[in-house]
Amino acid sequence: MSKNWTRSLRDRLQQEIPMEHLLPDTLPKYVDSYVYLFGVLTLAAFVWIILSGTILAIFGPDWWHVSPVGHFFNSLHFWSIQSFFFFMILHLWAQFLMAAWRDGRHFTWIGGWLMFLVSILAGLTGYLSQNNFDAQWIAVQGKDAMNAAGIGGFFNLLNFGQMYSLHIFVLPLILILLLGGHLLLIRKHGVVEPLPPDPKSEVRQG
Amino acid sequence: MGQGLQPPIPAGGAWEFSWLNLSSPDIIVVVLMVVIFILAIALPFPGGKE
């Protein structure tokens, strides 16, 4: 058979992430713990952030500051973000304590950190996109830090258009791409096995 | 007068050291995270199906 981009991509995918790994119907016994739910809770919060944020973007600041329904979706967006960061930190603790970067899972770990950092940036641009006095205050205070870091020239906190575009398009796009890679890597490698028992504690028991 | 209404609006009483400055909402969230994390480890997971 002659070479062909579609076929080589298909062969590569079948080799890297076979369907049994991509959509498994069983999980190892050690996954029977609430600790393994923090990741998917973060993902669920992210879905709510995107949904409520899309509605906020359609109707705009006049609506989310004045209309009662706008207030509701503003609050929904706010609390989704609170639970997003809450569960992301718990997910981070869990993965740190089980050393989840073992056995070739280093890029899953690094990707998680990248998403954490991008999320903080998304949080900052979100605060700046509120269109209220708080947003103005944060922009005026924060611009000095950006100028001191030497990036004020192309990352201008006082420029609402720039901050809003970053917040509703660029940063979510980066997050969704990183998240897709994160989930594919998890499905490729499977859930990390529990840490081996500490040999010292075995000696003490014996 | 009206000092509390000028941004940054204080979040509440603060637990303050030179190296740490946590408001009461901060403390509530951090304690809640620790409690939920411990419960997630300690509580038995229902199910156990094949």
Side-chain angles (χ1 to χ4, degrees):
Chain A
M1 274 196 291
S2 61
K3 284 219 168 190
N4 165 325
W5 281 11
T6 311
R7 192 184 308 123
S8 53
L9 180 66
R10 187 184 65 211
D11 292 346
R12 179 90 191 270
L13 283 175
Q14 268 169 357
Q15 194 196 331
E16 292 285 325
I17 319 175
M19 261 306 179
E20 294 75 29
H21 285 213
L22 192 62
L23 296 170
D25 54 356
T26 55
L27 284 171
K29 183 72 186 141
Y30 54 80
V31 180
D32 274 358
S33 164
Y34 287 109
V35 173
Y36 289 94
L37 291 181
F38 293 137
V40 78
L41 286 170
T42 314
L43 179 63
F46 184 66
V47 171
W48 278 105
I49 290 172
I50 296 290
L51 290 178
S52 56
T54 304
I55 292 167
L56 289 177
I58 289 170
F59 292 101
D62 278 354
W63 180 73
W64 78 59
H65 278 310
V66 177
S67 145
V69 183
H71 277 155
F72 172 76
F73 279 97
N74 197 12
S75 299
L76 198 61
H77 197 60
F78 175 81
W79 286 109
S80 309
I81 294 153
Q82 302 305 306
S83 47
F84 177 66
F85 278 100
F86 189 96
F87 290 122
M88 188 161 33
I89 298 289
L90 291 180
H91 182 58
L92 170 65
W93 290 353
Q95 301 320 303
F96 175 74
L97 290 173
M98 64 179 80
W101 50 81
R102 284 175 293 144
D103 307 326
R105 292 174 178 86
H106 42 274
F107 283 123
T108 321
W109 173 255
I110 293 166
W113 268 106
L114 281 177
M115 280 188 283
F116 187 25
L117 297 177
V118 175
S119 300
I120 291 171
L121 210 54
L124 170 68
T125 53
Y127 276 123
L128 296 169
S129 301
Q130 292 176 107
N131 258 10
N132 58 13
F133 288 125
D134 231 18
Q136 285 186 20
W137 176 269
I138 293 163
V140 171
Q141 295 296 308
K143 75 178 189 333
D144 295 340
M146 297 305 152
N147 288 335
I151 58 172
F154 51 86
F155 187 68
N156 181 4
L157 301 194
L158 297 171
N159 183 345
F160 171 73
Q162 188 190 15
M163 294 304 116
Y164 193 59
S165 323
L166 286 171
H167 183 71
I168 70 166
F169 179 69
V170 180
L171 297 176
L173 183 68
I174 295 172
L175 268 183
I176 287 169
L177 292 175
L178 284 171
L179 185 60
H182 196 69
L183 294 176
L184 279 178
L185 280 173
I186 293 165
R187 285 296 161 92
K188 176 181 152 86
H189 293 291
V191 183
V192 72
E193 285 176 28
L195 286 161
D198 185 4
K200 280 182 210 158
S201 67
E202 265 180 53
V203 169
R204 231 178 283 135
Q205 278 164 7
Chain B
M1 196 189 76
Q3 199 70 2
L5 295 176
Q6 299 293 324
I9 297 162
W15 196 26
E16 219 172 319
F17 299 97
S18 56
W19 49 276
L20 184 73
N21 183 1
L22 292 179
S23 68
S24 31
D26 291 341
I27 296 166
I28 291 169
V29 169
V30 172
V31 169
L32 199 62
M33 283 202 292
V34 173
V35 168
I36 289 179
F37 194 71
I38 291 168
L39 282 178
I41 294 172
L43 286 181
F45 194 76
K49 281 183 283 184
E50 282 300 305

XYZ file of all heavy atoms in Angstrom, chain A residues 112-153:
309
model
N -0.885 19.482 33.383
C -1.765 19.932 34.464
C -1.273 21.244 35.057
O -2.055 22.173 35.299
N 0.039 21.324 35.272
C 0.616 22.571 35.806
C 0.416 23.730 34.829
O 0.093 24.842 35.232
C 2.113 22.388 36.099
C 2.333 21.960 37.497
C 2.692 20.717 37.942
C 2.168 22.768 38.665
N 2.757 20.710 39.312
C 2.452 21.944 39.778
C 1.807 24.092 38.892
C 2.391 22.409 41.092
C 1.738 24.562 40.199
C 2.030 23.724 41.281
N 0.636 23.437 33.519
C 0.435 24.489 32.509
C -0.998 25.003 32.556
O -1.253 26.213 32.518
C 0.754 23.940 31.116
C 2.230 23.855 30.741
C 2.386 23.221 29.365
C 2.856 25.253 30.758
N -1.964 24.068 32.673
C -3.371 24.479 32.726
C -3.648 25.308 33.968
O -4.431 26.259 33.935
C -4.281 23.253 32.700
C -4.471 22.712 31.313
S -5.700 21.430 31.272
C -4.768 20.076 31.932
N -3.010 24.952 35.093
C -3.159 25.722 36.328
C -2.694 27.163 36.095
O -3.400 28.131 36.427
C -2.351 25.042 37.431
C -2.529 25.629 38.804
C -3.681 26.329 39.151
C -1.549 25.454 39.764
C -3.845 26.857 40.430
C -1.706 25.974 41.048
C -2.848 26.679 41.368
N -1.520 27.315 35.461
C -0.978 28.656 35.234
C -1.843 29.445 34.254
O -2.126 30.632 34.476
C 0.471 28.555 34.723
C 1.451 27.905 35.710
C 2.839 27.775 35.099
C 1.528 28.710 37.009
N -2.297 28.796 33.175
C -3.165 29.474 32.216
C -4.484 29.864 32.896
O -5.043 30.933 32.630
C -3.411 28.591 30.969
C -4.412 29.236 30.027
C -2.111 28.344 30.229
N -4.971 29.006 33.804
C -6.220 29.314 34.516
C -6.067 30.556 35.381
O -7.013 31.349 35.496
C -6.629 28.140 35.406
O -6.819 26.992 34.641
N -4.893 30.719 36.011
C -4.668 31.916 36.831
C -4.720 33.163 35.941
O -5.341 34.173 36.293
C -3.324 31.812 37.579
C -3.422 30.725 38.649
C -2.938 33.145 38.206
C -2.116 30.382 39.301
N -4.111 33.058 34.757
C -4.145 34.165 33.798
C -5.588 34.431 33.349
O -6.010 35.592 33.208
C -3.272 33.801 32.594
C -2.582 34.937 31.850
C -1.763 35.784 32.798
C -1.706 34.373 30.743
N -6.345 33.355 33.141
C -7.756 33.504 32.757
C -8.536 34.165 33.900
O -9.432 34.980 33.656
C -8.357 32.143 32.418
N -8.179 33.826 35.150
C -8.831 34.456 36.302
C -8.550 35.951 36.345
O -9.460 36.769 36.539
N -7.275 36.320 36.118
C -6.899 37.742 36.130
C -7.649 38.505 35.038
O -8.272 39.544 35.309
C -5.386 37.876 35.926
C -4.884 39.305 35.672
C -5.046 40.172 36.910
C -3.424 39.318 35.226
N -7.633 37.977 33.802
C -8.310 38.690 32.714
C -9.823 38.705 32.949
O -10.505 39.637 32.521
C -7.989 38.054 31.350
O -8.285 36.657 31.412
C -6.552 38.246 30.966
N -10.337 37.694 33.668
C -11.757 37.670 34.008
C -12.110 38.778 34.981
O -13.115 39.488 34.808
N -11.279 38.958 36.017
C -11.497 40.063 36.957
C -11.496 41.399 36.219
O -12.252 42.302 36.548
C -10.405 40.074 38.035
C -10.678 39.148 39.189
C -9.788 38.147 39.542
C -11.833 39.291 39.957
C -10.034 37.285 40.592
C -12.092 38.449 41.011
C -11.190 37.447 41.329
O -11.441 36.617 42.374
N -10.609 41.504 35.197
C -10.494 42.751 34.455
C -11.669 42.946 33.488
O -11.908 44.052 33.028
C -9.178 42.766 33.664
C -7.919 42.751 34.526
C -6.696 42.507 33.667
C -7.779 44.042 35.290
N -12.390 41.868 33.178
C -13.491 41.947 32.218
C -14.840 42.224 32.880
O -15.850 42.275 32.198
C -13.591 40.637 31.432
O -12.385 40.395 30.750
N -14.850 42.379 34.205
C -16.134 42.541 34.898
C -16.862 43.822 34.501
O -18.068 43.911 34.572
C -15.912 42.583 36.411
C -15.458 41.294 37.023
C -15.164 41.469 38.502
O -15.903 41.021 39.343
N -14.097 42.173 38.817
N -16.091 44.860 34.105
C -16.671 46.167 33.792
C -17.315 46.815 35.009
O -18.447 47.295 34.953
C -17.695 46.062 32.666
C -17.118 46.521 31.348
O -15.917 46.739 31.256
N -17.943 46.674 30.352
N -16.614 46.814 36.135
C -17.084 47.544 37.316
C -15.870 48.228 37.970
O -14.758 48.176 37.443
C -17.813 46.610 38.281
C -16.936 45.452 38.744
O -15.730 45.472 38.540
N -17.551 44.451 39.353
N -16.105 48.873 39.117
C -15.008 49.621 39.752
C -13.905 48.690 40.231
O -12.732 49.062 40.249
C -15.551 50.467 40.900
C -16.352 51.646 40.426
C -17.652 51.855 40.874
C -15.818 52.539 39.513
C -18.393 52.932 40.423
C -16.552 53.623 39.057
C -17.841 53.826 39.518
N -14.288 47.496 40.652
C -13.291 46.514 41.081
C -12.327 46.219 39.930
O -11.111 46.165 40.125
C -14.013 45.231 41.502
C -13.583 44.761 42.878
O -13.004 45.588 43.617
O -13.826 43.588 43.199
N -12.885 46.017 38.733
C -12.057 45.710 37.558
C -11.101 46.870 37.262
O -9.921 46.656 36.973
C -12.950 45.439 36.342
N -11.618 48.097 37.373
C -10.769 49.270 37.125
C -9.631 49.335 38.129
O -8.477 49.604 37.789
C -11.590 50.551 37.231
C -12.495 50.784 36.045
C -13.191 52.130 36.114
O -12.754 53.031 36.829
N -14.283 52.269 35.391
N -9.992 49.078 39.401
C -8.986 49.126 40.470
C -7.887 48.103 40.219
O -6.692 48.406 40.304
C -9.669 48.884 41.824
C -8.715 48.816 42.969
C -8.114 47.707 43.469
C -8.226 49.922 43.752
N -7.287 48.033 44.500
C -7.342 49.381 44.705
C -8.468 51.286 43.737
C -6.691 50.184 45.632
C -7.810 52.077 44.671
C -6.944 51.535 45.599
N -8.288 46.874 39.885
C -7.320 45.801 39.653
C -6.432 46.154 38.457
O -5.211 45.953 38.491
C -8.054 44.460 39.429
C -8.760 44.019 40.708
C -7.077 43.374 38.975
C -9.825 42.960 40.511
N -7.021 46.723 37.402
C -6.236 47.076 36.214
C -5.205 48.154 36.547
O -4.034 48.046 36.164
C -7.167 47.552 35.106
N -5.646 49.186 37.302
C -4.745 50.298 37.600
C -3.618 49.840 38.524
O -2.466 50.246 38.376
C -5.548 51.478 38.208
C -4.618 52.545 38.730
C -6.482 52.063 37.159
N -3.939 48.962 39.485
C -2.903 48.436 40.377
C -1.980 47.472 39.636
O -0.765 47.530 39.756
C -3.552 47.704 41.566
C -4.347 48.591 42.486
C -3.487 49.612 43.177
O -2.470 49.275 43.777
N -3.874 50.863 43.091
N -2.600 46.567 38.854
C -1.837 45.485 38.228
C -0.913 45.951 37.124
O 0.113 45.327 36.862
N -1.263 47.075 36.458
C -0.444 47.541 35.335
C 0.986 47.827 35.783
O 1.932 47.607 35.011
C -1.053 48.787 34.702
C -0.855 50.047 35.516
C -1.439 51.251 34.833
C -1.088 52.567 35.494
N -0.791 52.604 36.910
N 1.165 48.280 37.041
C 2.516 48.577 37.527
C 3.350 47.302 37.605
O 4.550 47.308 37.275
C 2.448 49.246 38.903
C 1.773 50.606 38.842
O 1.717 51.170 37.723
O 1.297 51.091 39.882
N 2.712 46.216 38.046
C 3.433 44.939 38.114
C 3.829 44.489 36.715
O 4.952 44.006 36.498
C 2.559 43.888 38.792
N 2.905 44.649 35.747
C 3.202 44.219 34.371
C 4.322 45.085 33.784
O 5.216 44.583 33.103
C 1.950 44.330 33.490
C 0.833 43.421 33.935
S 1.342 41.702 34.058
C 0.234 41.121 35.326
N 4.276 46.395 34.053
C 5.335 47.275 33.564
C 6.671 46.927 34.195
O 7.707 46.915 33.526
C 4.985 48.743 33.859
C 3.869 49.246 32.963
O 3.683 48.719 31.873
N 3.133 50.233 33.421
N 6.641 46.609 35.507
C 7.886 46.257 36.197
C 8.463 44.963 35.628
O 9.676 44.776 35.585
C 7.622 46.102 37.695
N 7.570 44.070 35.178
C 8.031 42.809 34.604
C 8.465 42.985 33.150
O 8.981 42.047 32.539
C 6.926 41.754 34.698
N 8.230 44.177 32.583
C 8.676 44.455 31.230
C 7.724 43.960 30.153
O 8.074 43.928 28.980
N 6.496 43.556 30.538
C 5.562 43.053 29.532
C 4.372 43.987 29.342
O 3.442 43.675 28.604
C 5.057 41.630 29.874
C 4.378 41.602 31.259
C 6.193 40.620 29.828
C 3.691 40.283 31.554
N 4.417 45.167 30.020
C 3.292 46.097 29.931
C 3.029 46.589 28.513
O 1.909 46.953 28.183
N 4.056 46.581 27.669
C 3.911 47.079 26.310
C 2.957 46.260 25.464
O 2.224 46.797 24.648
